[in-house]
């Protein structure tokens, strides 16, 4: 159950972090205004909180593993929110990042 909880928290954190960054981007780059920027800042704060709920207590490990989730999630967000069309190298790179995340988080460590 701990792995499932961890995976759910990674998805939740990704939605807050990537969504927050996207909202700030929209507010600044697309001139949508301060409300979008403010909502993005709030979402980014919620990402920071969500990361603290991971079952593993190692900050460096959580953030390193989250990097892989962020890469894959960013590509998926671009597809859904912006119509981005990833090529095979984008997809391959994202899968490599997710594999790295799985090794970092879920490899047996004999504890």
């Amino acid at each position: 159950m701990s792995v499932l909880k961890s995976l759910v928290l990674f998805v939740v954190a990704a939605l807050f972090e990537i969504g927050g960054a996207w909202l700030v981007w929209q507010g600044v780059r697309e001139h949508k205004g301060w409300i979008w920027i403010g909502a993005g800042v709030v979402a980014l704060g919620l990402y920071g909180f969500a990361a603290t709920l991971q079952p593993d207590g190692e900050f460096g490990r959580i953030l390193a593993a989250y990097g892989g989730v962020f890469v894959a999630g960013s590509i998926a967000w671009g597809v859904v929110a912006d119509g981005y069309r990833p090529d095979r190298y984008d997809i391959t790179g994202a899968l490599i990042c997710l594999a790295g995340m799985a090794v970092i988080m879920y490899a047996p460590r004999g504890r």
Side-chain angles (χ1 to χ4, degrees):
M1 192 60 159
S2 182
V3 172
L4 179 59
K5 177 182 178 183
S6 174
L7 290 171
V8 168
L9 285 169
F10 275 125
V11 170
V12 168
L15 290 172
F16 283 135
E17 203 277 344
I18 297 164
W22 184 81
L23 286 166
V24 172
W25 178 282
Q26 294 297 307
V28 175
R29 299 280 302 249
E30 304 297 327
H31 309 288
K32 292 193 176 180
W34 286 103
I35 291 176
W36 285 68
I37 295 167
V41 169
V42 169
L44 289 166
L46 290 170
Y47 150 71
F49 180 76
T52 68
L53 301 175
Q54 281 289 343
D56 190 302
E58 299 294 334
F59 175 79
R61 180 176 298 140
I62 298 300
L63 245 35
Y66 180 70
V69 175
F70 178 77
V71 169
S74 295
I75 290 173
W77 188 281
V79 169
V80 172
D82 292 327
Y84 175 67
R85 308 255 327 168
D87 63 22
R88 63 183 172 178
Y89 300 108
D90 294 325
I91 293 168
T92 301
L95 291 173
I96 291 169
C97 290
L98 287 174
M101 178 279 268
V103 170
I104 290 168
M105 281 301 296
Y106 309 120
R109 291 194 160 78
R111 291 184 195 179

